[in-house]
Amino acid sequence: GAGVSQSPSNKVTEKGKDVELRCDPISGHTALYWYRQSLGQGLEFLIYFQGNSAPDKSGLPSDRFSAERTGGSVSTLTIQRTQQEDSAVYLCASSPEKEDGYTFGSGTRLTVV
Amino acid sequence: GESVGLHLPTLSVQEGDNSIINCAYSNSASDYFIWYKQESGKGPQFIIDIRSNMDKRQGQRVTVLLNKTVKHLSLQIAATQPGDSAVYFCAENGGSNYKLTFGKGTLLTVNP
């Protein structure tokens, strides 16, 4: 596609429920990243994909967080048993190969109530 | 100014003035730096980047300056416009070829 697409744009969920966030990267971009942005904060690295493999998942905050990427394209970030502190904007970015410059999507705003 | 890890500073300027947003970084291994602009409800948008073999790089109305000696990065916006109002983030690569570390941003408000 023309840009990085994320869905849903907004998600309100009850504490304890599971959520899935989707990212469609720019076509042909082999690198994909997930970041989290809490209110008034900078971006916190979560995980990096090169193709379908995740050589760096060091930023995932707990084992409730997982992510996968299939077909070298779409990625899904799953948060199990959501907690209120998971409320944030989850941003996905992609880049060609390992180029440093990312293109970000508009994010998914997750609110856990 | 901003430092990777500090609270969000703000900068208020008049339309037409020049703006300077500062950023201090701490990782001496960083050799690639990027400035992003984030408008409300949107993802960060690439503005300009610079590699450590350069001190200055210019774009359209924007200039990035890098001082490796004191680990300082700045973004200069010429003739600031209301559409420039946003949060500006600096990011460094820490020597990595994929992971960026972001500062917490500077809120720029342009008054008409």
Side-chain angles (χ1 to χ4, degrees), chain B residues 7-24:
Chain B
H7 58 84
L8 181 68
T10 60
L11 176 65
S12 183
V13 301
Q14 290 298 121
E15 181 178 0
D17 287 352
N18 296 331
S19 303
I20 300 176
I21 301 171
N22 296 302
C23 177

Side-chain angles (χ1 to χ4, degrees), chain A residues 20 33-34 36 46 48 74 85 95 108:
Chain A
E20 284 189 353
Y33 318 82
W34 284 97
R36 179 169 71 173
L46 298 179
Y48 156 63
V74 172
E85 60 264 28
S95 69
T108 294

